[in-house]
Structures are given as structure tokens and as C-alpha cells.
Amino acid sequence: MNTITKCVVLVILCLVVGKMNAQDTIQKSKNQFKIESLDELKKKIEEEEREYLKKEVEAINLRLENGEITQEKADALKKEVAKKRALNIENRIAIIDNKIELLKRNEIGYDNLDDDKGDYFGFSFGGDGESFAGFRIKNRKKFRKYDKRTTSDLVFAAGFNNAIGDGQKIGDEYGFMNSGFVELGWAWKTRVFKNSNALRLKYGFSFQWNKLSPKDDKYFVQDGNVTTLEEFPYELKESEFRVTNLVVPVYFEFGPSKKIEKDDYFRYSTHNKFKIGVGAYAGFNIGTQQKLRYKQDGDRVKEKIKRNYNTSDFVYGLGAYVGYGSMGLYMKYDLNPLFKDQAFDQHNLSMGLRFDLD
């Protein structure tokens, strides 16, 4: 029993010593990795501060070109930012050098030093409150551009949809309340004039879903190159005809804006401002579908029929909106006929609300 106890104690001591040695080796390895990372970070600090200086000088030159400051003021500002960036490099590198010396002198206890708020990517098995699933990622804040003439936003619109032709009124053939449209897209907005935001060019791409619901139990029938509305043999619970388009809209947007000026940048804001947009769109029909729901011999039947139904392949039209802030009233009208080679042309018309989510 005594021999067994001695053996157990010996094994435990070996394991403890081995673990301590392994931890020491791992710690030294971590410190070395940290030191190498900090050395690389010093190079990044110099590059970063020089890039900041370059951007600041460009902003000063732009203010000089716009007549906002004199040449004397511009030269003084350039000297000031150059001095600031040189001191930043000196101070930040001094902090890194001190961290390196601290790591070299101490094998444990200083392995969680912060990295000068710079970019960092690491891997670990344990969490430290700043990592997720063993990964730690920090992003340096990007330099703000002095004059940003182009912005982008999500566009969403929805409302009523119908189709009209010669001698027809809205709602003659298609239900007004149950015919609708949805538009979803992405748009860029560019200031047209250098020193004014009164006129903007808005452009991008959008998906348009235009739905028509024929009245009086009617549905669309394609016979060769002719598509007509005919009465369905059963009572229709639902008759829906949907055309999906991919278009490129281009609008001229007018309206006041507020100029926000800071030392290193300026922006024009249209938040809580009226705006008017007038333009056009063009694109392609990418899908046509008819959906029917009815009862036949006591059974509920639902049909989805995908055909081209002689709808126009190329779509184009006019659009306009009047809004306040990010919301407005929106209207679009297809100049192309809904169907090709028909006895008379019908054109799609949509009205609703538009949201430009800047």
C-alpha cells in the first residue's frame, strides 16, 4: 500500500511539473507572438497616421479651392495637422515600445495588453469578455471623407395597382382594393452641383411586382399571340395575375437640405425636408404568373400557371414622388403596353407610398 501511495504521489508530481512547464512554454510562446504582433503594429501606426495626414491635407486643399479659407490659413492648418500626426506617431510607438519591454521582462501576468486600439485578429480557446467563439476581432475606425457627394439607401414602395386603356377607367376590369404593387430596390443619390444640394440625381435598380385581380370571375387565357379575359367556368375565390420586372430607375430629385459643417468634413442632410422626384425607368419582364383558387366538385383547387401570356418583354415608364424626409407619395406609369399585339393597349398604373431608408 505504501509503495502504491508513493507511486501515485510521484505520478501526480510529474503531471503537475509537466503542466507547469507546458504552461510556461505556452506563456513564453504567447508573449513572443504578442511581441511580434506589436512590432508589426508599429509599422501600421506609421502608415495609418501618414494616411490620415494625407486625407487631412486633401480636405484643407478642397476648402482652399472652394474659397472657404485663404492660402495663409491653409498653410497654417497643414503645419498644424503635420505636427499633430508626427506627435501621434511618437506617442503611440512609445506606448507600444513600453508594452514590448513589459512583455520581455515578465513571463506571466501581462499577456492581455490592449493593442493601441488598432486592427487585431487572434485565436484562443478561452473567452476574455472581448472574444466570440475563441476569435477576437477589432476594427479601426475609417477616416471620414471631407465631401461625400454620393450616398445610397434602400427603397421600398407599395400600394394600389391597375391597368387602363383607351376609354377605360381605373377599376373597370380589375379590382381596385385587391390589385396592388410592391417595389424593392437599392438607389444611389449624387449631388449634381459642387456647392449646392438643391438638385440630386437618384439612380439604382428595383424589383417591381405588379398584381392585377380581374373582376366578375374572369381570368386570362392565352391563345397563340392573343391574350383575353374570359369568364371562368367556376366561381373564383381568387384570380390573381402578377408580372415581375427588374428595372433601372433614374430620377432628378429637387428640394432643400441642411448643410452640416465640421472641421474635417461637411454633409448635406435632407432629414425632415420636402423633396420632389421626377424621372423614368426601363428594364425587363422577368416573370409572369396567374394564380386561381376555386371549388370543383366540393374540392378546393389552387392553380399557379407560369406562362408569358404575351406580356411585353421590355418595360419602360415614367415615375414621380413627393415626400417629406424618408416617406412620400409615389406614382409610376408603364409606357409599354401590358400585352403585345392586342386589339387595344392597356398600361399598368401604380400609386402608393414610397420609403427611402437613408
Side-chain angles (χ1 to χ4, degrees), residues 32-73:
Q32 185 60 36
F33 175 78
K34 194 75 173 181
I35 291 170
E36 292 174 359
S37 299
L38 289 172
D39 282 329
E40 288 296 322
L41 184 58
K42 289 197 294 183
K43 299 176 183 177
K44 290 183 180 180
I45 287 172
E46 293 181 358
E47 294 172 359
E48 180 185 76
E49 292 293 339
R50 290 193 184 101
E51 185 64 23
Y52 283 168
L53 176 60
K54 179 182 176 182
K55 296 294 184 181
E56 287 174 333
V57 170
E58 289 176 357
I60 294 169
N61 288 334
L62 186 57
R63 293 176 65 187
L64 178 63
E65 292 175 9
N66 293 338
E68 299 176 12
I69 56 176
T70 63
Q71 181 66 56
E72 183 180 359
K73 179 66 174 177

Side-chain angles (χ1 to χ4, degrees), residues 46-158:
E46 293 181 358
E47 294 172 359
E48 180 185 76
E49 292 293 339
R50 290 193 184 101
E51 185 64 23
Y52 283 168
L53 176 60
K54 179 182 176 182
K55 296 294 184 181
E56 287 174 333
V57 170
E58 289 176 357
I60 294 169
N61 288 334
L62 186 57
R63 293 176 65 187
L64 178 63
E65 292 175 9
N66 293 338
E68 299 176 12
I69 56 176
T70 63
Q71 181 66 56
E72 183 180 359
K73 179 66 174 177
D75 292 339
L77 288 174
K78 289 178 184 179
K79 290 180 181 178
E80 183 180 332
V81 295
K83 182 179 178 181
K84 178 183 72 175
R85 293 302 170 186
L87 288 173
N88 285 354
I89 292 174
E90 181 180 340
N91 295 151
R92 292 175 68 185
I93 288 181
I95 293 171
I96 299 300
D97 286 336
N98 286 333
K99 290 179 180 180
I100 291 174
E101 293 302 319
L102 195 62
L103 288 170
K104 287 179 178 179
R105 287 195 305 269
N106 301 274
E107 296 177 353
I108 59 173
Y110 296 94
D111 58 319
N112 290 320
L113 295 174
D114 202 6
D115 287 339
D116 192 57
K117 305 300 181 184
D119 291 337
Y120 176 87
F121 178 85
F123 175 82
S124 65
F125 289 100
D128 58 0
E130 296 183 354
S131 63
F132 177 75
F135 290 92
R136 184 184 179 197
I137 302 174
K138 293 165 64 176
N139 294 318
R140 184 182 293 113
K141 188 176 179 181
K142 292 184 179 179
F143 185 85
R144 182 173 300 195
K145 192 173 181 180
Y146 179 69
D147 180 12
K148 191 175 183 180
R149 295 183 66 169
T150 299
T151 59
S152 61
D153 58 71
L154 179 71
V155 176
F156 174 76

Side-chain angles (χ1 to χ4, degrees), residues 111-324:
D111 58 319
N112 290 320
L113 295 174
D114 202 6
D115 287 339
D116 192 57
K117 305 300 181 184
D119 291 337
Y120 176 87
F121 178 85
F123 175 82
S124 65
F125 289 100
D128 58 0
E130 296 183 354
S131 63
F132 177 75
F135 290 92
R136 184 184 179 197
I137 302 174
K138 293 165 64 176
N139 294 318
R140 184 182 293 113
K141 188 176 179 181
K142 292 184 179 179
F143 185 85
R144 182 173 300 195
K145 192 173 181 180
Y146 179 69
D147 180 12
K148 191 175 183 180
R149 295 183 66 169
T150 299
T151 59
S152 61
D153 58 71
L154 179 71
V155 176
F156 174 76
F160 302 107
N161 189 68
N162 224 279
I164 56 176
D166 293 337
Q168 290 183 327
K169 295 181 296 184
I170 294 176
D172 279 357
E173 289 190 334
Y174 311 105
F176 179 75
M177 296 301 295
N178 52 354
S179 295
F181 86 98
V182 173
E183 181 173 334
L184 181 65
W186 193 262
W188 289 267
K189 183 168 61 178
T190 299
R191 191 174 81 244
V192 174
F193 301 115
K194 185 176 182 180
N195 298 315
S196 171
N197 197 44
L199 176 63
R200 289 89 67 179
L201 184 66
K202 193 149 192 172
Y203 50 94
F205 64 90
S206 289
F207 290 94
Q208 297 176 344
W209 294 271
N210 300 321
K211 186 184 77 170
L212 296 171
S213 295
K215 300 167 66 175
D216 304 323
D217 291 332
K218 290 185 177 180
Y219 75 117
F220 285 99
V221 177
Q222 180 179 348
D223 184 11
N225 295 328
V226 178
T227 300
T228 57
L229 269 177
E230 298 184 9
E231 189 171 345
F232 197 70
Y234 304 99
E235 181 182 352
L236 283 169
K237 299 294 183 181
E238 181 182 17
S239 178
E240 176 185 306
F241 186 78
R242 188 180 68 203
V243 179
T244 304
N245 300 325
L246 174 60
V247 300
V248 176
V250 179
Y251 290 93
F252 283 102
E253 186 177 282
F254 309 85
S257 59
K258 179 182 178 182
K259 188 175 183 180
I260 302 171
E261 295 185 89
K262 301 292 183 180
D263 291 337
D264 55 347
Y265 76 95
F266 77 89
R267 296 287 184 270
Y268 287 99
S269 172
T270 56
H271 180 64
N272 291 336
K273 299 291 183 180
F274 283 101
K275 60 184 177 183
I276 298 174
V278 180
Y281 54 88
F284 300 95
N285 174 348
I286 60 174
T288 305
Q289 176 181 279
Q290 182 168 217
K291 184 168 69 175
L292 306 171
R293 287 199 307 116
Y294 56 94
K295 276 190 176 182
Q296 182 179 6
D297 299 329
D299 296 326
R300 294 181 179 180
V301 182
K302 183 177 181 179
E303 290 187 61
K304 287 185 179 181
I305 309 165
K306 293 185 179 181
R307 300 186 64 181
N308 63 12
Y309 286 99
N310 298 309
T311 52
S312 296
D313 297 321
F314 181 63
V315 295
Y316 54 96
L318 302 174
Y321 55 89
V322 178
Y324 180 79

